[in-house]
Amino acid sequence: MKTDGHVRAGPSKAEMIAELDQFVLDISTAIKLQDQRPGGAAQLVGDDPDTDLALVRIDAPQLTALSFADSSTLRVGQLAVAIGNPYGFDTTVTAGVVSALGRSLRTQSGHLVDDVIQTDAALNPGNSGGPLVDAQGRVIGVNTAMIMPAQGICFAIASNLASFVMGKLIHEGRIRRAYLGVAGQNVPLHRRVVRYHELAHESGVFIVSVEPDSPAARAGLRDGDLIVAYGEKPIAGIDDLHKILTEEQAGVASSVTVIRGSRKEVLAVQPTLRR
């Protein structure tokens, strides 16, 4: 069963309507592999609505797994190839480039999906969950959404985030996160800014928007701030925030370091548990 949602996307303030290609898997349905071998019934290991990802297990020997690339090394303009079954056309391949990195999408249910790759490789209903791969065939993302009715504006969850979610689902079967309430994207920092403030990384998280009455809003975070550290840990990108903001951080008072204009400021923050 396919359900169509709507997505609002950053980093601009303008809202963009997208089709989120979500599927509900009937785990009692037998899976048939591409070589016509039966894969047995699928078992749902766990899912994570915040990233539109789910992990499914099937009993099928001698399968070759795709390798995952480090999505933090992606560059705008490099080749991206999407594989999926759009409208039931099996193993369809479309090619394009990485159009932008570090996008944020908000689903109609209110979930904010960070660290999203934008590509012009054509996606259609049925591509969701398929891999976005690089020129070496390594997974750089998991296809998830497209702007309707625009042409060539499609999105995939970055492979680093997908790997993190997969590991959590394998070990715990679910993911519970601490919640800040910001939408952000990865941006590079000028070397003069890095040297002047003695920062550990040459990138940070640019805050696109702050949700009203959220922990971030109460802490005084603003649109346009650059997050460069959380507590004592430097932040190079959204991946770092995801790894820090685990369930254990909910309710724990901490600090967030931001670059605001030309100043470095440290703000007190206390994340809550995401509902």
Side-chain angles (χ1 to χ4, degrees):
M1 180 177 70
K2 186 175 78 68
T3 58
D4 295 331
H6 293 284
V7 175
R8 293 194 297 272
S12 68
K13 290 292 185 180
E15 291 187 352
M16 298 188 292
I17 301 301
E19 183 178 351
L20 185 60
D21 187 16
Q22 296 174 323
F23 286 81
V24 177
L25 178 66
D26 181 356
I27 60 174
S28 65
T29 301
I31 301 298
K32 183 178 288 185
L33 303 178
Q34 188 64 31
D35 60 6
Q36 303 304 310
R37 284 185 298 153
Q43 299 175 351
L44 181 64
V45 177
D47 62 358
D48 180 35
D50 283 5
T51 54
D52 193 31
L53 293 172
L55 184 64
V56 176
R57 179 187 293 116
I58 63 172
D59 183 15
Q62 298 179 343
L63 295 179
T64 302
L66 290 172
S67 60
F68 275 57
D70 180 0
S71 58
S72 67
T73 64
L74 291 177
R75 294 294 180 264
V76 172
Q78 78 176 69
L79 179 69
V81 178
I83 305 172
N85 303 319
Y87 294 108
F89 292 98
D90 292 349
T91 56
T92 296
V93 176
T94 57
V97 298
V98 173
S99 305
L101 297 166
R103 295 297 200 204
S104 294
L105 300 176
R106 184 179 299 284
T107 67
Q108 195 172 38
S109 63
H111 291 123
L112 187 68
V113 185
D114 288 317
D115 200 17
V116 175
I117 300 167
Q118 181 182 330
T119 177
D120 66 349
L123 302 182
N124 290 285
N127 277 109
S128 179
L132 185 71
V133 302
D134 61 12
Q136 285 75 47
R138 301 172 303 174
V139 177
I140 58 175
V142 180
N143 303 324
T144 189
M146 73 290 294
I147 296 289
M148 299 287 285
Q151 303 243 345
I153 304 180
C154 305
F155 302 96
I157 306 299
S159 59
N160 284 6
L161 179 56
S163 295
F164 170 74
V165 170
M166 181 174 62
K168 282 284 188 180
L169 292 178
I170 289 173
H171 289 98
E172 302 174 22
R174 65 172 186 172
I175 295 181
R176 300 187 70 189
R177 292 185 178 86
Y179 164 71
L180 276 183
V182 299
Q185 68 178 87
N186 300 340
V187 294
L189 300 175
H190 197 283
R191 289 184 179 179
R192 285 181 295 181
V193 175
V194 175
R195 288 196 299 266
Y196 181 78
H197 294 294
E198 299 180 340
L199 303 178
H201 299 293
E202 294 187 355
S203 60
V205 176
F206 177 81
I207 296 179
V208 176
S209 64
V210 178
E211 296 188 10
D213 197 32
S214 64
R218 292 190 289 272
L221 287 167
R222 304 175 187 170
D223 297 2
D225 285 346
L226 280 163
I227 299 176
V228 294
Y230 186 90
E232 299 299 321
K233 297 181 180 179
I235 298 295
I238 292 170
D239 279 346
D240 294 336
L241 271 181
H242 275 294
K243 292 173 182 176
I244 291 173
L245 292 174
T246 58
E247 179 180 359
E248 291 75 17
Q249 293 297 316
V252 177
S254 188
S255 63
V256 59
T257 304
V258 300
I259 303 298
R260 179 175 294 170
S262 60
R263 306 186 311 276
K264 181 167 75 170
E265 298 190 14
V266 180
L267 305 173
V269 67
Q270 184 169 319
T272 58
L273 190 64
R274 182 182 288 278
R275 299 182 183 90

